[in-house]
Amino acid sequence: MAPDSTAGQSSSRGKRADAQRNRQTVLAAAAEVFVTSGVDAPIRQIAARAGVGMATIYRHFPARADLVTAVYRHQIEACAEAGPKLLADADSPFAALSRWIDLFVDFLVTKHGLADALQSDDDRFAALHTYFLDRLLPVCAQLLDAAVEAGDIRPGTQPYELMRGIGNLCIGRDDDPRYDPRRLIALLLRGLQRSPAT
C-alpha cells in the first residue's frame, strides 16, 4: 500500500507542477499580448501565444479580471524581486537603480489599457494600485538609499516622487511614435547623479 501511496503523491505533485508551469506560461503570454493588443485582447490570442487551449486559461482564470489582475501582480512581484538582486550583482548602486528603473519602465509600458480597467468597479482592480505601491516603493527606497550612501546620487529624492515622475514621462508613449520616454528618463537619472566636483 505504501508504494501506491507514494506513487499517488508523486503523480499529484507532478500535476501541480504542470499546472503551475501552465499558469506561468499563460501569465507571460498574456503580458506580451497586453503590450500589443491591450487588456481586452481575445483570450484565443493569449492561448495561441501560450501554446495552451482556451480551457486551460479559463480553468486558471475564470474571468478576464482574474487574468488581468494576475498578470500585473506577477509583474509587480518580478519587479520587486529584481531590486535586491540587481543591488547585489551590479557594479554600483547607481547601476542597479538604473537597471531597476529600466525594468519599471518595461512594467509601465505593459500597462496598456490597464488604466481603464482600474477605473472599473471591480474590487480586484481597486486593490491593485495599493499592492503596486506597497511592493515597489520599498524597493525603490532601498535602491535610492544605497545610491546616496555610495555617493552616486544626491540625497533628497523620495521614492514616490521618482516613480510618479517616471510614470508621468511614460504617459503618451502609445500615442506618438516620435516620443521615447526612456531618453527623458535617462536625463532625469543623470540629473540625480553627483558631479565629480561635488
Side-chain angles (χ1 to χ4, degrees):
M1 181 143 176
D4 289 345
S5 174
T6 304
Q9 288 174 357
S10 183
S11 172
S12 177
R13 275 197 300 271
K15 285 179 184 174
R16 282 198 300 271
D18 286 346
Q20 184 61 24
R21 270 194 300 277
N22 280 344
R23 189 176 193 278
Q24 297 302 318
T25 300
V26 168
L27 290 175
E32 292 171 12
V33 170
F34 288 172
V35 173
T36 55
S37 304
V39 295
D40 293 321
I43 295 298
R44 68 180 171 278
Q45 186 179 349
I46 296 167
R49 178 72 64 96
V52 300
M54 288 175 60
T56 298
I57 295 182
Y58 285 120
R59 188 164 51 252
H60 289 288
F61 310 104
R64 181 178 295 274
D66 298 321
L67 177 59
V68 173
T69 303
V71 166
Y72 290 107
R73 279 184 172 268
H74 178 69
Q75 291 185 316
I76 288 166
E77 280 305 310
C79 199
E81 290 168 6
K85 290 177 187 169
L86 289 169
L87 202 50
D89 297 340
D91 294 336
S92 71
F94 182 76
L97 176 66
S98 299
R99 288 183 197 151
W100 186 80
I101 285 173
D102 202 42
L103 291 175
F104 180 60
V105 171
D106 286 342
F107 168 76
L108 294 177
V109 167
T110 65
K111 287 174 65 178
H112 182 70
L114 183 62
D116 292 337
L118 289 173
Q119 292 171 10
S120 76
D121 294 331
D122 195 309
D123 290 340
R124 287 167 290 204
F125 293 139
L128 199 55
H129 183 67
T130 301
Y131 182 72
F132 169 85
L133 292 176
D134 287 348
R135 288 295 286 132
L136 297 186
L137 277 176
V139 176
C140 186
Q142 180 187 20
L143 290 162
L144 282 170
D145 289 346
V148 168
E149 192 174 320
D152 293 342
I153 64 172
R154 300 180 189 89
T157 301
Q158 298 302 313
Y160 179 80
E161 69 183 357
L162 179 61
M163 289 171 57
R164 178 77 184 261
I166 290 167
N168 287 340
L169 288 173
C170 289
I171 292 171
R173 186 194 78 83
D174 294 331
D175 301 329
D176 188 347
R178 299 168 300 170
Y179 177 61
D180 180 7
R182 290 183 193 275
R183 283 176 30 80
L184 293 178
I185 291 165
L187 287 172
L188 171 64
L189 285 174
R190 280 203 292 275
L192 290 177
Q193 284 184 284
R194 285 183 181 273
S195 65
T198 56

